[in-house]
């Protein structure tokens, strides 16, 4: 495992807002990233994550708020004076330059000496394992290679903060995982404070120290991937991160709910409900237990996911209820089998219908 | 943990597939090949053979000798000068128009302007010549108006029938043609390149100098060569405007082949035609190279 360096800068975003006409893209958005930390902004299209990133980069103006790096006001500086590295969604390498020339670009702009440029370019090429491609042009590289060069180019200037705007979305699945791990390794080795924007929850969970889930221009919750998955603070986060069953239920009281015939405690971040109210209980597939039965619910789908298998059960509700189990255990079940399902957790999150 | 430099399997398979693919005659293109054969290769062969024959039908290279001295050489030089001057001015003016349209016009206005440019670019020939005669002839209203304001263009040596006059008329269709052929290259400049330059510390001027101009250069050169070929070989407009005072190769070839001016010179006309085709071919080869280069960069 690579050695963790924490020599990066602290990025503090406070209350930035941005409207495009009637659309409020960002609404008093705040976020602090510790030196050397990698934070992902995760959210659906139009949630404001890319706008936030572009404001930090200086490619977009903010209507209000501040952005500070190590206590220095960033918004007062022009975009080309901020010392921020950026990797774009689409391959943004300069097509008229070789790999080495692309990596050297920021250093040439800074008028570094030829020796310094050559040394740094060699370091960066080694970092992204592309020494043999230094004289190739971008159109001679695969998509994954191009993004690695883009990463090397952004890091070559030793940026105070690295921004990555959905850098993997143009790559195919296999290469995406490979480059994702590579980005994380390089980020840890360089200790660069990094803000990563994505709409892919798996990507966000895999790469980040913390993940910030956004909706309607605001941060819904920011936490470690583990906490975000297991202790979501809003129903939106619970629904957006991971797979969730929305099971129609009825509140027994403001603290208890009846789900699939079981009485469960309502978790603290749920909607406020009153006795007799129809609600939806949010239950993870791994919290659904399935056992054979002679009648009742029926298995409709069975999806092999490697070590785990997901089954979709028709329990007479509007939507299937999904349950996950080990693939070994799943061998006992086939589609069409009658089963009984139950919830294994004592506490669930509920939302008003 | 490190990555290898391998190309993804899917790409490898594609490359392998391409190299192993057997040649198959593209039958759907047969009509096109026939068209090219009948209307390009066959007539061109006839002209080539004619250029290598004497009046008594024996083989000779003597028809090519006049191309390198005297009036025919002078005509080649004049035609090349007209091609270069009108292509250069047309390219610069057209590129400027293309930039303004690309940067400031919305999609709807762009579409309208493209259509206008297409009309102008195809408005050469006799009608164009007459339009200019009406505007810039010695007795045209505009010339008279300028004269009344104290600027007598004809007294200063300008004439619509001169080299300068012909250049002015040619630019009328060269600049719109440049708009049509160069604007796609301008539109192909990606916003991310500009933003990458900014995030790497570059100024707008750095972007123009190190990124935009080098990327656009092949397209510009290609467009220039296309315009040159058009200006060099334009016939109808030149025929309507010149009265023998500006020797141009397309007009001389026409006269020789038709036997209008001098009889028994059709073989010389053929050799001049081959010379003109060779010059146009060089220009078009440069155009193809430039297009290939710029499309490679736009991938």
């Amino acid at each position: 495992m690579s050695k963790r360096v924490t020599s990066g800068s602290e990025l503090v975003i406070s209350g930035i807002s941005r409207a495009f006409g009637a659309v409020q893209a960002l609404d008093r958005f705040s976020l602090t990233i510790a030196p050397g930390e990698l934070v992902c902004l995760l959210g659906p299209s139009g949630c404001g994550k890319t706008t936030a990133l572009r404001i930090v980069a200086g490619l977009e103006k903010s209507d209000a708020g501040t952005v500070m790096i190590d206590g220095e006001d960033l918004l007062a500086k022009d975009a080309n004076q901020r010392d921020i590295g950026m990797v774009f969604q689409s391959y943004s390498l300069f097509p008229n330059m070789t790999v080495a020339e692309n990596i050297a670009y920021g250093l040439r702009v800074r008028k570094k000496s030829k020796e310094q440029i050559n040394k740094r370019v060699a370091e960066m090429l080694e970092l992204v394992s592309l020494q043999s491609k230094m004289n190739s042009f971008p159109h001679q590289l695969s998509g994954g290679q191009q993004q690695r060069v883009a990463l090397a180019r952004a890091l070559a200037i030793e940026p105070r903060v690295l921004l990555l705007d959905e850098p993997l979305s143009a790559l195919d699945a296999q290469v995406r995982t490979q480059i994702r791990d590579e980005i994380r390794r390089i980020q840890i080795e360089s200790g660069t404070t990094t803000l990563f924007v994505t709409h892919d929850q798996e990507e966000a969970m895999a790469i980040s120290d913390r993940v910030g889930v956004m909706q309607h221009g605001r941060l819904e919750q920011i936490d470690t991937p583990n906490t975000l998955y297991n202790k979501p603070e809003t129903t939106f986060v619970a629904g957006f991160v991971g797979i969730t069953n929305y099971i129609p239920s009825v509140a027994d009281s403001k603290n208890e709910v009846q789900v699939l015939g079981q009485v469960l405690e309502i978790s603290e971040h749920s909607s406020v409900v009153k006795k007799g109210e129809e609600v939806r209980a949010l239950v993870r597939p791994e919290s659904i237990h399935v056992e054979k039965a002679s009648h009742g619910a029926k298995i409709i789908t069975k999806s092999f996911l490697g070590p785990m298998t997901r089954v979709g059960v028709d329990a007479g509700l509007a939507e299937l209820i999904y349950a996950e189990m080990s693939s070994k255990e799943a061998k006992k079940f086939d589609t069409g089998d009658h089963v009984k399902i139950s919830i294994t957790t004592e506490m669930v999150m509920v939302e008003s219908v | 943990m490190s990555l290898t430099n391998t190309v993804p399997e899917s790409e490898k398979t594609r490359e392998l597939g391409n190299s192993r693919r057997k040649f198959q005659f593209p039958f759907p293109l047969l009509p096109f090949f026939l068209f090219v054969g009948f209307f390009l290769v066959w007539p061109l062969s006839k002209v080539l053979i004619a250029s290598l024959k004497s009046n008594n039908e024996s083989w000779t290279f003597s028809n090519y000798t006049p191309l390198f001295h005297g009036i025919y050489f002078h005509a080649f030089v004049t035609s090349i000068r007209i091609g270069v001057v009108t292509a250069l001015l047309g390219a610069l003016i057209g590129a400027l128009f293309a930039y303004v349209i690309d940067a400031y016009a919305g999609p709807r206005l762009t579409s309208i302007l493209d259509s206008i440019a297409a009309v102008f670019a195809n408005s050469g020939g006799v009608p164009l010549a007459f339009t200019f005669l009406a505007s810039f002839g010695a007795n045209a209203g505009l010339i008279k108006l300028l004269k009344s304001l104290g600027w007598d263009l004809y007294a200063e040596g300008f004439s619509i029938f001169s080299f300068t006059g012909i250049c002015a008329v040619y630019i009328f269709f060269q600049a719109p043609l440049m708009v049509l052929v160069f604007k796609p290259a301008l539109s192909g400049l990606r916003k991310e390149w500009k933003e990458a330059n900014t995030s790497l510390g570059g100024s707008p001027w750095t972007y123009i100098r190190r990124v935009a101009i080098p990327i656009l250069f092949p397209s510009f050169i290609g467009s220039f060569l296309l315009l040159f070929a058009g200006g060099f070989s334009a016939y109808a407009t030149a025929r309507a405007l010149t009265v023998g005072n500006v020797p141009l190769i397309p007009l001389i070839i026409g006269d020789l082949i038709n036997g209008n001016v001098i009889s028994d010179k059709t073989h010389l006309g053929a050799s001049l035609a081959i010379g003109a085709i060779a010059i146009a071919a060089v220009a078009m080869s440069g155009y193809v190279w430039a297009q290939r280069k710029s499309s490679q960069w736009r991938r």
Side-chain angles (χ1 to χ4, degrees), chain A residues 54 59 79-80 84 86 88 90-97 105-106 108-110 129-133 137 139 142-143 145 148 153-154 157 172 175 178-179 181-182 185, chain B residues 1-11 190-204 206-215 293 296-299:
Chain A
R54 289 175 63 82
L59 301 174
N80 62 354
I84 283 178
M86 185 148 177
F88 297 84
S90 53
Y91 316 133
S92 60
L93 298 180
F94 303 128
N96 57 316
M97 298 179 198
Y105 190 86
R108 285 176 65 195
V109 167
R110 285 166 173 73
S129 311
L130 282 174
Q131 295 96 321
S132 63
K133 299 283 181 185
F137 282 89
H139 71 268
S142 68
Q145 289 171 333
R148 280 151 66 197
R153 183 178 68 176
I157 59 170
D172 61 44
V175 179
Q178 208 177 30
I179 303 294
D181 293 344
E182 190 73 350
R185 175 186 69 80
Chain B
M1 188 169 68
S2 73
L3 289 176
T4 56
N5 295 332
T6 51
V7 176
E9 281 302 318
S10 55
E11 292 181 28
R190 287 161 57 176
K191 192 179 77 169
E192 287 86 355
W193 293 335
K194 198 172 187 177
E195 292 182 345
N197 163 74
T198 304
S199 75
L200 290 165
S203 64
T206 318
Y207 168 72
I208 290 168
R209 192 164 50 94
R210 293 192 171 161
V211 182
I213 288 179
I215 289 174
K293 189 83 183 165
Q296 193 177 54
W297 284 354
R298 283 204 297 271
R299 256 181 234 164

Side-chain angles (χ1 to χ4, degrees), chain A residues 22-261:
Chain A
V23 179
Q24 190 70 40
L26 270 183
D27 184 11
R28 288 161 289 162
F29 172 83
S30 297
L31 169 70
T32 298
I33 307 180
E37 191 181 21
L38 191 156
V39 170
C40 257
L41 290 181
L42 174 68
S45 294
C47 71
K49 54 190 189 298
T50 295
T51 305
L53 184 113
R54 289 175 63 82
I55 287 173
V56 175
L59 301 174
E60 202 72 66
K61 290 198 185 316
S62 69
D63 300 330
T66 59
V67 179
M68 315 279 273
I69 290 186
D70 290 337
E72 189 184 344
D73 182 8
L74 210 60
L75 298 184
K77 288 186 161 189
D78 287 336
N80 62 354
Q81 302 296 318
R82 294 187 182 190
D83 282 330
I84 283 178
M86 185 148 177
V87 177
F88 297 84
Q89 180 178 349
S90 53
Y91 316 133
S92 60
L93 298 180
F94 303 128
N96 57 316
M97 298 179 198
T98 63
V99 165
E101 287 166 344
N102 263 284
I103 295 172
Y105 190 86
L107 303 168
R108 285 176 65 195
V109 167
R110 285 166 173 73
K111 301 199 186 316
K112 300 282 183 191
S113 70
K114 202 171 178 181
E115 291 72 30
Q116 283 175 308
I117 292 174
N118 290 342
K119 184 169 175 283
R120 186 67 180 155
V121 168
E123 284 171 7
M124 290 296 104
L125 284 168
E126 191 185 344
L127 192 69
V128 294
S129 311
L130 282 174
Q131 295 96 321
S132 63
K133 299 283 181 185
M134 67 180 292
N135 294 318
S136 300
F137 282 89
H139 71 268
Q140 297 169 319
L141 304 178
S142 68
Q145 289 171 333
Q146 288 193 49
Q147 278 307 57
R148 280 151 66 197
V149 177
L151 183 65
R153 183 178 68 176
L155 287 171
I157 59 170
E158 296 180 73
R160 294 196 287 178
V161 170
L162 177 65
L163 307 173
L164 301 119
D165 184 9
E166 307 220 20
L168 309 175
S169 58
L171 307 175
D172 61 44
Q174 189 189 352
V175 179
R176 191 157 59 221
T177 310
Q178 208 177 30
I179 303 294
R180 181 187 76 195
D181 293 344
E182 190 73 350
I183 287 174
R184 183 56 164 161
R185 175 186 69 80
I186 290 167
Q187 187 270 332
I188 290 172
E189 276 182 18
S190 65
T192 309
T193 307
T194 301
L195 182 59
F196 189 112
V197 159
T198 181
H199 63 270
D200 183 331
Q201 51 159 304
E202 188 194 327
E203 196 171 288
M205 304 293 258
I207 203 172
S208 315
D209 289 311
R210 288 187 299 154
V211 178
V213 180
M214 290 184 71
Q215 186 188 210
H216 303 318
R218 304 193 74 158
L219 206 51
E220 288 268 318
Q221 184 180 352
I222 179 159
D223 241 311
T224 61
N226 194 318
T227 307
L228 210 62
Y229 186 82
N230 292 306
K231 293 181 181 170
E233 289 178 1
T234 68
T235 52
F236 174 77
V237 173
F240 194 78
V241 177
I243 291 176
T244 302
N245 291 294
Y246 291 82
I247 304 174
S249 312
V250 178
D252 272 1
S253 68
K254 65 175 185 177
N255 298 319
E256 288 182 330
V257 63
Q258 227 177 94
V259 191
L260 300 174

Side-chain angles (χ1 to χ4, degrees), chain A residues 229-230 243-245 247 259-260 262 264 282-290 308 321-325 341-349:
Chain A
Y229 186 82
N230 292 306
I243 291 176
T244 302
N245 291 294
I247 304 174
V259 191
L260 300 174
Q262 289 175 258
L264 304 170
L282 281 64
V283 185
R284 299 281 189 206
E286 64 269 25
S287 300
I288 303 275
H289 177 69
V290 181
M308 302 295 287
I321 292 178
Y322 290 97
E324 276 180 12
M325 62 190 80
I341 54 173
S342 56
I343 297 166
T344 58
T345 53
E346 291 173 357
M347 190 178 280
V348 291
M349 180 176 266

Side-chain angles (χ1 to χ4, degrees), chain B residues 43 46 56-57 104 112-113 125-126 141 143 198 212 242 259 272 299:
Chain B
K46 293 276 283 179
N56 59 13
E57 292 301 306
Y104 299 105
I112 294 169
L113 292 173
V126 178
I143 296 297
T198 304
T242 62
L272 291 179
R299 256 181 234 164

Side-chain angles (χ1 to χ4, degrees), chain B residues 6-272:
Chain B
T6 51
V7 176
E9 281 302 318
S10 55
E11 292 181 28
K12 270 188 202 169
T13 315
R14 195 162 58 235
E15 284 169 18
L16 214 59
N18 287 342
S19 64
R20 282 182 186 170
R21 197 177 294 158
K22 283 180 184 172
F23 174 78
Q24 282 186 323
F25 186 81
F27 282 102
L29 289 174
L30 191 59
F32 173 73
F33 291 142
L34 290 173
F35 182 86
V36 170
F38 279 121
F39 295 104
L40 183 67
V41 179
W42 174 246
L44 196 60
S45 309
K46 293 276 283 179
V47 174
L48 183 63
I49 291 166
S51 75
L52 294 170
K53 292 245 177 154
S54 64
N55 284 344
N56 59 13
E57 292 301 306
S58 59
W59 294 100
T60 177
F61 281 108
S62 63
N63 293 319
Y64 285 92
T65 313
L67 271 64
F68 301 99
H69 54 78
I71 54 164
Y72 301 117
F73 179 73
H74 178 58
F76 264 111
V77 170
T78 308
S79 288
I80 290 171
R81 273 178 63 210
I82 283 205
V84 169
V85 169
T86 62
L88 193 61
L89 291 173
L92 290 173
I93 295 166
L96 189 66
F97 283 157
Y99 169 73
V100 173
I101 294 169
D102 186 62
Y104 299 105
R108 194 174 174 152
L109 182 58
T110 299
S111 168
I112 294 169
L113 292 173
D114 281 349
S115 302
I116 292 172
V119 170
F120 283 151
N122 292 293
S123 297
V126 178
L128 175 67
F130 281 125
T131 308
F132 266 78
L133 280 173
S135 303
F136 294 98
N139 295 312
L142 183 64
I143 296 297
K144 283 182 178 170
L145 178 70
L146 290 173
K147 196 175 179 180
S148 68
L149 295 171
W151 189 14
D152 188 351
L153 275 174
Y154 274 77
E156 289 179 18
F158 174 80
S159 166
I160 196 72
F161 303 107
S162 67
F163 180 88
T164 315
I166 292 172
C167 286
V169 178
Y170 277 24
I171 287 166
F172 182 84
F173 61 81
Q174 296 277 50
L177 181 60
M178 182 67 179
V179 171
L180 291 181
V181 296
F182 188 61
K183 200 161 68 57
L186 274 174
S187 306
L189 286 177
R190 287 161 57 176
K191 192 179 77 169
E192 287 86 355
W193 293 335
K194 198 172 187 177
E195 292 182 345
N197 163 74
T198 304
S199 75
L200 290 165
S203 64
W205 173 237
T206 318
Y207 168 72
I208 290 168
R209 192 164 50 94
R210 293 192 171 161
V211 182
I213 288 179
I215 289 174
L216 291 175
F217 188 68
S219 291
F220 184 86
I221 290 296
S223 305
F224 166 81
L225 290 170
L226 191 69
L227 266 60
F228 166 79
F232 173 80
S233 56
Y235 180 79
T237 315
R239 169 65 72 197
L241 279 176
T242 62
V243 281
N245 52 339
V246 181
L248 294 173
I249 276 297
L251 306 185
I252 292 175
I253 293 169
D255 289 340
L256 290 176
I257 289 179
N258 293 334
N260 285 347
V261 181
I262 313 161
S263 59
D264 298 335
K265 291 282 188 181
T266 50
H267 297 293
L268 175 60
S271 68
L272 291 179

